[in-house]
Amino acid sequence: MNEIRPITQSLGKLDMLAQIERKLLWLASWMIHHANHVRPNVDGMKIGGHQASCASVASIMTALYFDALRPQDRVAVKPHAGPVLHAINYLLGRQNVETMRDFRQFGGAQAYPSRAKDGAEIDFSTGSVGLGIALTSFSALVQDYVRAHELARPGLPRGRNIAIAGDAELDEGNIYEALLEGWKHDVRDVWWVVDYNRQSLDSVVPDRLFGRFEGLFRDMGWRVVTLKYGRQLQEVFARPGGCSLRGWIDECPNSTYSALTFQGGAAWREALLHDMRRSRTVRSIIDPLADEALAALMTNLAGHDLGALTEAFSAAAQTDQPTLFLSYTIKGKGLPFAGHKDNHAGMMTLEQMEAFRATHNVRPRHEWRKFEGLDRPGDVARFVQAVPYAVSLSPLGRRLGAAAVPVPAALPQPRITGRRMSTQTGFGEILAEIGRAQGESAALSHHIVTASPDVAVSTNLGPWINRRGVFDRHVREDVFRDGKLASAQRWGTNPAGQHIELGIAEQNLFLLLGAAGLAHDLYGARLLPVGTVYDPFVNRGHDALFYACYQDARFLLISTPSGITLSHEGGQHQATNTPLLAIVQDRLASFEPAYCDELAILLRHAFEHMQKPEGSAVWLRLSNLVLPQPDRALDAVQVIAGAHWVHEPAPGASIAIAYQGALAGEAEKAFLLLREDMPEAGLLAITSPDRLYAGWRQAQRTRRLSGAATSHIETLLAPLAPGAAVISVLDGHPAAHAWLGAVRGQRIMALGPDRFGQSGDLASLYQEYEIDCAAILDACAEALVGR
């Protein structure tokens, strides 16, 4: 990392920071104003922006980015402060005017900070409220992991993971799930800075709430730093009558405080005199002040006091203990609607913006100049370039990158052919073989980290864990093993372990996978994260899964066991919609193998695909249904592309059966009976409707834009007659296959459960939900009669 240049203190640090704060407030406000009132609105739709939220946090972000932060620190900025972050990067030379002019426009700066769309200067995407905050805790855990395993970029100092949070975000339950998990893992170097402006989208935050937060965080081992009063108010509090004034403010309801802030000095005076008219000492403080000065005093909160903020951040930097800063602020500080309860989406009018321009000394047609209107533009420019955060981590900016881990041409695996086993068992055994391998495979295993929300053993991670161990910053012995008590699992922990065990909170799993899947960019460490979860509970963590994919995090998700095939487990454990989720989720390639030879191909592909620049995360949906494993040679390219013929149809065949996943056995039985009457029929194994659909869509685009292209599914279905029938079956919603009829105009009859499941034996459930051999044959008969 480049040497950090010292800041020259003789210029007056707080003076420089005050000028930067002023410039950030202007640029953020103007960016939003320009998007809504200056730039042509071509479609008439609301553009929006959050001037009040930006103003609320401008002081905090100034103190952080231009004083406290070091290059290795990572920050998640609250969504509505995106324009302030864009302005900061502009001052640092990492953002251009054209992109800011196009704020919330196609190709321009995003409404909310986005790693994928805004570029390398964004550490964490934010926009789904609360998730960005929680992700910083898991990123700190990943930092502990990569440093313990000596995978981090050499010479990279420990960084802090920092979230700038809106106070209303603390309503999100996932934050407290993450807080508890962070306490379990003793995470270090985490700061959550709460912009406590006491206003949310619809209302004012209840007064009693933050007292509860303080106790909760302290119970979880956090330092809590309350930044309530600025230095001007603190000086007044030290004078006669100051204690009474402080008591009055402390007892002032949030809603009243916000209303008085909006009303101004005269309203403050009236309210104070109403309650403390007889107090001569209080009168001696407020009577000499003009209305404007009184308003400034009563709104002198520490969240807008650069001196208080820089001192608090500097003190917290002396320890690695996680720290919560409750920074009292005013929503809309410095804007004409400061404090108004409806200011969340409010914007300055044209007249208000002109007055705002005048107070900032910004000339027309000079709105985007970096240091326009400042008292000492040259000094400020030099100060900005000298702050520690101005140093780039790498030629890629804030992204470090890491070399890909070589993946062997074939993964080490147990004997599969001729056995009866499930794909879930096959996954566990293949991963265990990787764990014990030597040579190139040993290098692969060193970079794998597994995680599970308290279902590691029941998702067949047990053999891997026994070989590679459970990760923790601290060594904890396995009490059962030490006591010579029989147990299949070794559950001691140590810093060398490669499994991270989580509590039963699926959002935490996906947040951890998201953080670990960014380790190459954040810490220069290539991790191959593998997370296991029961298939139905992907739904419970779907918001965080979506968020991890939006970050372009790279990981392998194993969801197992799945579907109605769970039989006796009952309906709430029998997800039908997960194949559909897999198709529609961007930046996630999904597969569902029926047999372990397909699984071995797809596991190898996953480890390779998730490391490619053009790759993505990968999802494998597995089953606990035991099937006899075939002895055959497969075309790996076709398996990865999404389907392969088990029995190829004769040219012009009028019917074919297609299956996905665990229903291979039912489909094969039906096919053997069908062939007695229709020997030309084909049997198609679908390993990924997601990849088939993606390939088909891409071929359509290519044909529209540039010329000839044929997708894999078009090639596969070509031997069938134009009016042929395809009977498909999967243990999931049939809509996952229903689109196949549009590929070549053939008729599709898709079978699969589309209702809540129930407990029962396998035969009864397959019959009830019409996915057994008899149902498949009935569908074949219906299709042939219909022809």
Side-chain angles (χ1 to χ4, degrees):
M1 190 169 61
N2 297 332
E3 181 179 352
I4 298 175
R5 293 159 288 179
I7 298 172
T8 304
Q9 296 294 336
S10 60
L11 296 176
K13 182 176 74 171
L14 291 182
D15 179 42
M16 292 295 102
L17 292 176
Q19 293 203 51
I20 293 169
E21 175 192 25
R22 179 182 177 86
K23 176 49 60 177
L24 294 179
L25 180 58
W26 164 261
L27 285 171
S29 300
W30 175 254
M31 200 181 308
I32 298 166
H33 180 85
H34 182 271
N36 287 273
H37 296 298
V38 180
R39 190 177 69 209
N41 187 333
V42 295
D43 56 17
M45 296 292 289
K46 174 189 172 184
I47 295 172
H50 300 87
Q51 288 177 334
S53 291
C54 288
S56 179
V57 80
S59 308
I60 292 170
M61 293 182 69
T62 300
L64 277 172
Y65 280 87
F66 295 94
D67 186 60
L69 292 186
R70 304 158 301 166
Q72 67 269 24
D73 295 334
R74 300 292 181 174
V75 190
V77 174
K78 75 170 190 173
H80 296 150
V84 182
L85 181 57
H86 296 315
I88 287 170
N89 282 326
Y90 176 53
L91 294 188
L92 292 170
R94 301 169 179 173
Q95 177 68 280
N96 59 59
V97 170
E98 292 71 29
T99 304
M100 294 193 301
R101 280 193 178 120
D102 287 339
F103 173 64
R104 292 193 172 212
Q105 183 84 312
F106 183 76
Q110 295 297 295
Y112 310 127
S114 168
R115 283 179 55 87
K117 302 296 192 298
D118 284 320
E121 298 309 313
I122 307 300
D123 295 326
F124 303 113
S125 300
T126 52
S128 187
V129 176
L131 291 177
I133 302 169
L135 185 63
T136 59
S137 180
F138 289 101
S139 181
L141 174 57
V142 170
Q143 177 175 230
D144 288 338
Y145 182 92
V146 299
R147 293 179 73 86
H149 289 78
E150 299 182 346
L151 293 172
R153 173 177 164 176
L156 181 70
R158 286 187 67 90
R160 286 182 290 267
N161 281 271
I162 299 168
I164 302 169
D167 49 10
E169 286 191 90
L170 294 188
D171 286 343
E172 289 288 346
N174 71 275
I175 290 176
Y176 303 101
E177 292 179 349
L179 184 65
L180 180 60
E181 200 64 60
W183 172 78
K184 293 178 190 175
H185 289 277
D186 190 27
V187 295
R188 305 282 91 187
D189 294 308
V190 181
W191 288 2
W192 290 357
V193 186
V194 179
D195 172 23
Y196 182 34
N197 58 44
R198 300 166 303 290
Q199 292 181 239
S200 62
L201 180 61
D202 290 330
S203 62
V204 176
V205 174
D207 300 280
R208 298 169 54 239
L209 204 53
F210 265 62
R212 309 301 301 171
F213 290 147
E214 290 189 39
L216 180 62
F217 276 81
R218 287 198 173 98
D219 287 345
M220 292 296 165
W222 286 53
R223 292 177 69 242
V224 178
V225 179
T226 300
L227 298 168
K228 187 168 185 178
Y229 295 118
R231 289 168 300 167
Q232 186 183 1
L233 269 175
Q234 290 183 43
E235 291 171 2
V236 166
F237 293 158
R239 293 165 49 186
C243 288
S244 298
L245 182 61
R246 178 170 186 156
W248 187 91
I249 299 175
D250 284 340
E251 294 299 319
C252 184
N254 286 341
S255 54
T256 301
Y257 186 91
S258 295
L260 292 173
T261 297
F262 175 71
Q263 291 173 293
W268 279 113
R269 191 181 307 278
E270 181 180 351
L272 287 164
L273 291 177
H274 179 272
D275 292 339
M276 293 188 289
R277 184 183 303 274
R278 298 181 183 279
S279 174
R280 294 182 180 179
T281 52
V282 172
R283 294 289 298 267
S284 69
I285 295 172
I286 66 174
D287 285 354
L289 298 176
D291 284 350
E292 184 176 350
L294 179 59
L297 173 67
M298 297 301 291
T299 57
N300 176 232
L301 300 182
H304 297 295
D305 188 315
L306 291 167
L309 289 166
T310 54
E311 288 176 9
F313 294 149
S314 177
Q318 306 309 309
T319 175
D320 65 359
Q321 185 179 4
T323 302
L324 177 74
F325 299 91
L326 298 178
S327 304
Y328 281 66
T329 60
I330 292 169
K331 194 163 186 175
K333 175 71 171 177
L335 304 183
F337 40 65
H340 196 289
K341 76 176 184 67
D342 299 331
N343 66 12
H344 181 80
M347 281 179 277
M348 285 181 274
T349 63
L350 298 177
E351 294 77 14
Q352 288 173 331
M353 178 52 76
E354 286 308 305
F356 189 66
R357 177 203 300 276
T359 63
H360 284 258
N361 301 319
V362 174
R363 295 167 291 172
R365 296 183 299 281
H366 291 73
E367 294 89 353
W368 298 105
R369 290 187 63 175
K370 282 187 179 179
F371 304 108
E372 170 74 10
L374 299 185
D375 298 335
R376 299 155 63 185
D379 288 344
V380 175
R382 286 186 287 274
F383 181 89
V384 166
Q385 291 306 309
V387 300
Y389 191 76
V391 176
S392 291
L393 283 169
S394 75
L396 300 175
R398 294 192 54 71
R399 303 212 180 156
L400 295 173
V405 178
V407 180
L411 297 180
Q413 56 186 287
R415 181 182 66 83
I416 292 174
T417 303
R419 295 176 59 189
R420 292 181 57 84
M421 62 193 305
S422 68
T423 49
Q424 176 177 294
T425 299
F427 159 71
E429 292 193 12
I430 294 172
L431 194 62
E433 290 296 321
I434 295 173
R436 68 167 60 94
Q438 303 296 316
E440 189 178 19
S441 296
L444 173 68
S445 67
H446 185 53
H447 291 264
I448 293 173
V449 55
T450 60
S452 186
D454 201 41
V455 292
V457 175
S458 51
T459 55
N460 281 52
L461 280 178
W464 163 267
I465 295 171
N466 282 344
R467 182 160 294 276
R468 309 303 292 200
V470 179
F471 171 75
D472 196 280
R473 292 178 61 240
H474 310 287
V475 175
R476 294 185 175 90
E477 300 300 330
D478 185 335
V479 174
F480 271 68
R481 189 179 184 192
D482 291 347
K484 296 182 171 53
L485 302 174
S487 174
Q489 290 304 129
R490 302 171 186 170
W491 216 257
T493 70
N494 64 81
Q498 288 182 242
H499 173 74
I500 300 176
E501 183 64 5
L502 304 171
I504 309 175
E506 285 76 11
Q507 293 242 20
N508 284 346
L509 171 70
F510 292 119
L511 286 168
L512 175 59
L513 291 177
L518 297 175
H520 51 287
D521 281 345
L522 299 178
Y523 304 116
R526 179 67 66 176
L527 292 182
L528 301 174
V530 179
T532 65
V533 65
Y534 290 174
D535 184 68
F537 302 131
V538 171
N539 290 295
R540 191 180 291 172
H542 185 228
D543 189 19
L545 171 60
F546 179 98
Y547 177 62
C549 293
Y550 184 70
Q551 309 256 21
D552 195 21
R554 304 303 181 84
F555 53 88
L556 171 58
L557 170 63
I558 304 292
S559 69
T560 183
S562 59
I564 297 294
T565 301
L566 276 163
S567 62
H568 303 288
E569 287 284 333
Q572 209 160 2
H573 280 193
Q574 298 170 346
T576 62
N577 68 321
T578 46
L580 295 175
L581 288 182
I583 292 175
V584 302
Q585 180 60 61
D586 190 19
R587 311 299 302 159
L588 182 67
S590 68
F591 303 88
E592 185 172 356
Y595 293 103
C596 293
D597 54 358
E598 295 169 332
L599 171 64
I601 291 170
L602 294 173
L603 272 175
R604 187 204 171 275
H605 169 70
F607 287 131
E608 195 168 63
H609 182 74
M610 58 201 274
Q611 300 185 75
K612 293 180 177 179
E614 70 278 14
S616 70
V618 179
W619 179 0
L620 300 185
R621 186 178 191 249
L622 305 182
S623 172
N624 65 343
L625 180 67
V626 174
L627 292 173
Q629 300 299 305
D631 183 5
R632 58 184 178 174
L634 290 175
D635 184 335
V637 173
Q638 292 203 23
V639 172
I640 293 166
H644 59 94
W645 285 110
V646 179
H647 295 283
E648 195 162 350
S654 60
I655 194 167
I657 294 174
Y659 68 81
Q660 177 178 326
L663 292 179
E666 299 297 317
E668 288 163 352
K669 285 188 289 185
F671 176 72
L672 291 176
L673 294 171
L674 175 66
R675 274 189 102 183
E676 294 176 3
D677 296 321
M678 308 286 293
E680 74 275 16
L683 179 64
L684 183 68
I686 295 177
T687 55
S688 175
D690 168 52
R691 294 298 86 197
L692 291 178
Y693 184 77
W696 181 48
R697 289 277 290 163
Q698 184 56 48
Q700 290 175 313
R701 292 189 189 99
T702 302
R703 289 195 287 264
R704 284 197 302 268
L705 297 174
S706 58
T710 303
S711 69
H712 182 55
I713 188 59
E714 289 170 316
T715 300
L716 286 173
L717 296 180
L720 297 175
V726 178
I727 313 303
S728 76
V729 63
L730 78 158
D731 192 354
H733 199 286
H737 292 169
W739 60 273
L740 288 167
V743 174
R744 297 185 61 87
Q746 288 144 345
R747 291 173 298 133
I748 182 75
M749 296 188 68
L751 304 180
D754 55 5
R755 295 166 286 143
F756 287 122
Q758 56 188 299
S759 296
D761 61 88
L762 211 56
S764 298
L765 291 176
Y766 279 7
Q767 181 180 13
E768 171 66 20
Y769 292 91
E770 299 178 299
I771 55 176
D772 62 351
C773 174
I776 297 170
L777 289 173
D778 285 346
C780 290
E782 183 181 345
L784 291 170
V785 170
R787 182 186 61 180

